[in-house]
Every structure is written in structure tokens, then in C-alpha cells.
Amino acid sequence: MHRLPRAVAVGLASANIATIAPTLGADEYRVSGVRKVGVVRIAGHTVWLRPKTPVRRLFAMLGYARAGSAIWTEDDFGFEEDDDLVPALAHAFVRQASRALAGGPLRGYVTREDALPLVRGRWRIGDQLTRRGGQPLPVEVSFDDYVEDIAENQVLLTAATRLLRLPGVPADVLGALRRIVRVLDGASVIPVGAPVPVVRPDRRNARYSSALALASLVLTGSSVEQRAGSVVASGFLVDMWSVFEDFVSAALREAFKPYGGVLVSQYKSTLDVEGTVKIAPDLVWLVDGEVRACIDVKYKVEKHGQYPNADLYQMAAYCRRFGLDEGWLVYAAGESEGRLIDVIAGPLIRLHAFELNRSPLVLAEYLASLVLERRVG
């Protein structure tokens, strides 16, 4: 039970951040089903939404999900054990960006088009004729310029500027963020709503890799702008169900590699003969085009020792559809030793749950052991 101003309760519900139910007490609400973590500003109030897993472990899970392995460790962050996502993210970003920029910003070649008083690079004859009407000057040219205004620096600069605007960034980090902005003054900020440039890792930008991974989190984190009547919610939030599902997917993809085939996310199929009932299991293992394993990932917590029956019905239907003798349900919390549900005249459903306060590498090893013990084929 939480005491909340009514406007805050409405904002949380309308932004689909959590399930809010009023109680008999004045301004008292039951908050459940929190789907995002971070910070949000609603009707003049700052609301912190804390993850059930320590933020250091959360970052490690995010890194693993993006790279399929540990791209940074819990010792890389350099902050004390923050309870909230935004302060931890700001500390981590400043540490990694400062390391990346210690030798100065990267420079790279960028193709530019311009009208100059002399020929530089390639003369664009067609543009010269159409734009200049035969006049010899200025000359329409395109050329390669060696500059700091490249994708890597744009991404870091944009992440730093967005962090500066977030509520909850610690005072000791603000100065470091401003220094990063000054160092990157040769780059341009990516406009809000514009696509973020894709940065492909190579030897040239290797020193930026950890900072770019954190910058990606800053830029792709859910930026809430929700209006419900006169209530406006804004802030920085991350979907925990997506973090957990991405981590499990990456870990299982590595675990299945030795056995061939391919692990496919959100595999689209149909349940009925006519093809009108659509299904999309979270993960299926395909070998020679045949589904050999089916896994659904649930960011849920068991209640009173029971997992939701609907999950069991769903997995039983998937197994029947693909002709499987067993299916897996992977939960974010619950009985860590796992359970078996032997469906009458149906499949064996294996339920596994994680203790999210454990290292992501340990959790990945646990998933690999499950694949080793019960692989199909």
C-alpha cells in the first residue's frame, strides 16, 4: 500500500507503468504489476521505480543481452550500490565515457557536399549546371572531411545531454557530464525523434565500446510523455520484462550453439487449421526448419506457490501445435530449483525461475546446463 496524490496514481496507470487500485484509505493505493524501472515526473512529483535486482546486476544483464557475452563487469561502473536506475546509469556512463575520451574524441571521414570558390574533391557537374546555370563559381563539389562529427561522438554527446535533463542525476555527476559535452563540442546532437546512427564495432572505435553500450541504453530507454487530462508524466524508464527476455534469449542462443540449428525469437505461426489463430512463442529452436524446443519467458512472480494457469495452458497448446513432448517456462522469480508439470495426455512442462540477485554469468551458465541436460535431438 502506498500513499499517493490522485494525480500521481492516475499518471502511473495511464502511462501503463503499473497497476493501481484504490483502497478505503484517503489517497492510499495498492500498486502492483510494476513493469518499468527508472524515474518519472508526474504532476510535480518525482516517482522512483526500483528494480527487484540490484542495479549493478541489471546493467550486467543489459550488457549481456546486447553482446551475447559480458561486455562489462560489475566492477566497471565505479559507483556505490545505488538503489535507483538513473543515478547508477549516470555514474556508469560518466566513468565509461571519460575513459573512452581520455585520448581525445575519435575522428573519421565524412562525405560532404558544398559550394566552394575552388575545386575540392569531386566536381558535381550535374548540380553545377542545374544550380549555377553555367556560372563557373562557386563550384558544386563533394569531398571527404576528417572531422569529429561522426556517429560515435554524436551518440555519446546526445546521451550526455539527455542525462543532464533527467531528474535524479547526482550533483557530483553533473559537472562530469558538462565536461563530456565540452570535449565533444565538435559533434552534433541527434535531434529528438530522429533515428540513432548505427555504430558498427571495429578496431578504430574499440575504446568507445562500453561507453556506446551505456549511451544506447540512455537513448533507447523509454522516454515517457503521457497525458491523461491535465496530468502529464515524463521521465526515463526501462521495461524490465524486455530486459529479462532479451537476457534469457541471448544466454539461450549461446547455449544452443553447439547443437546446431537456430534460436528464433517471437516465432510466428498459427494454432488452427484455417490459420486464423495467431501464436508467437517467445523462443523456438529450429533444426532443419522443424521446431525442436519451445521456451516462453515471463517477467512474473509466482503467487502463493502457484504460477499462472494461463501460462501452462499456453505452453501446452504450443507443444501440441509443434508436436513436442515438453516445453519450458522461464520466470524472473519463484522456486529456483524448478518444477515439473506433467499434463494429462499432454506434454511435460518444465518451470524454471531465476534469483535475479545472482550474477548474470551464473544465470547464463545455469541456462546452459539446462540445455545440456534436456536438449532435444
Side-chain angles (χ1 to χ4, degrees):
M1 300 257 263
H2 298 270
R3 291 190 63 83
L4 300 171
R6 184 179 182 279
V8 172
V10 170
L12 290 172
S14 62
N16 199 32
I17 296 170
T19 300
I20 307 293
T23 66
L24 297 177
D27 287 338
E28 284 190 352
Y29 297 87
R30 183 172 288 106
V31 181
S32 62
V34 177
R35 291 169 283 275
K36 302 174 188 289
V37 297
V39 61
V40 64
R41 186 83 174 160
I42 303 174
H45 299 272
T46 300
V47 181
W48 295 94
L49 300 138
R50 295 189 172 103
K52 65 180 69 173
T53 181
V55 289
R56 284 173 176 251
R57 300 283 164 83
L58 172 60
F59 282 125
M61 288 176 67
L62 287 162
Y64 195 106
R66 280 162 167 73
S69 60
I71 61 173
W72 59 68
T73 69
E74 295 176 33
D75 294 330
D76 285 334
F77 303 123
F79 53 80
E80 297 301 321
E81 194 65 31
D82 286 309
D83 291 327
D84 295 306
L85 177 62
V86 169
L89 178 58
H91 275 117
F93 176 80
V94 161
R95 184 177 178 86
Q96 296 300 335
S98 298
R99 285 179 178 178
L101 297 169
L106 284 176
R107 297 173 70 90
Y109 285 102
V110 175
T111 300
R112 300 189 184 280
E113 293 185 353
D114 205 349
L116 301 177
L118 48 80
V119 176
R120 178 183 178 186
R122 295 169 293 282
W123 183 23
R124 295 182 289 118
I125 299 177
D127 289 335
Q128 187 74 32
L129 293 173
T130 57
R131 296 180 183 180
R132 303 298 167 190
Q135 295 295 321
L137 295 175
V139 185
E140 296 287 341
V141 296
S142 63
F143 55 92
D144 293 329
D145 205 2
Y146 193 58
V147 296
E148 294 180 5
D149 195 14
I150 56 176
E152 290 90 339
N153 293 331
Q154 291 170 2
V155 170
L156 290 188
L157 175 61
T158 306
T161 56
R162 292 194 187 178
L163 280 171
L164 282 168
R165 294 197 298 265
L166 286 181
V169 175
D172 63 316
V173 177
L174 294 175
L177 286 170
R178 294 188 184 101
R179 284 193 294 275
I180 291 169
V181 170
R182 287 195 296 272
V183 169
L184 293 170
D185 63 355
S188 54
V189 175
I190 302 166
V192 176
V196 177
V198 176
V199 178
R200 304 197 181 281
D202 54 36
R203 292 179 62 185
R204 181 184 60 87
N205 62 23
R207 63 183 167 104
Y208 272 46
S209 60
S210 292
L212 287 171
L214 285 166
S216 174
L217 174 57
V218 174
L219 299 181
T220 58
S222 175
S223 181
V224 179
E225 291 293 342
Q226 181 77 30
R227 181 177 293 275
S230 60
V231 179
V232 177
S234 63
F236 176 86
L237 299 170
V238 171
D239 288 303
M240 280 304 299
W241 66 267
S242 179
V243 172
F244 182 65
E245 183 176 322
D246 289 349
F247 166 74
V248 172
S249 299
L252 284 175
R253 194 164 283 113
E254 289 296 306
F256 274 106
K257 266 186 181 179
Y259 311 113
V262 60
L263 197 69
V264 179
S265 300
Q266 300 300 317
Y267 183 73
K268 291 181 173 56
S269 185
T270 57
L271 192 62
D272 61 323
V273 174
E274 290 79 12
T276 59
V277 182
K278 310 296 183 183
I279 59 174
D282 291 335
L283 296 165
V284 299
W285 181 37
L286 289 178
V287 179
D288 297 327
E290 179 185 352
V291 176
R292 303 289 294 276
C294 182
I295 305 104
D296 245 21
V297 184
K298 309 291 185 182
Y299 186 71
K300 298 178 181 177
V301 181
E302 62 174 347
K303 295 181 179 179
H304 311 299
Q306 297 293 323
Y307 291 95
N309 285 349
D311 297 346
L312 300 173
Y313 302 154
Q314 184 181 53
M315 181 52 66
Y318 290 163
C319 291
R320 180 69 179 268
R321 164 64 181 85
F322 299 121
L324 300 174
D325 294 328
E326 69 174 50
W328 295 5
L329 287 170
V330 179
Y331 288 86
E335 295 181 3
S336 58
E337 67 270 17
R339 292 173 58 192
L340 300 178
I341 304 293
D342 195 353
V343 178
I344 298 173
L348 182 70
I349 300 178
R350 301 183 181 275
L351 297 90
H352 299 282
F354 285 171
E355 296 176 10
L356 292 182
N357 60 350
R358 301 173 70 185
S359 163
L361 289 178
V362 171
L363 297 178
E365 290 171 1
Y366 172 67
L367 284 169
S369 70
L370 295 180
V371 173
L372 178 64
E373 292 172 6
R374 303 186 179 93
R375 69 184 185 275
V376 181

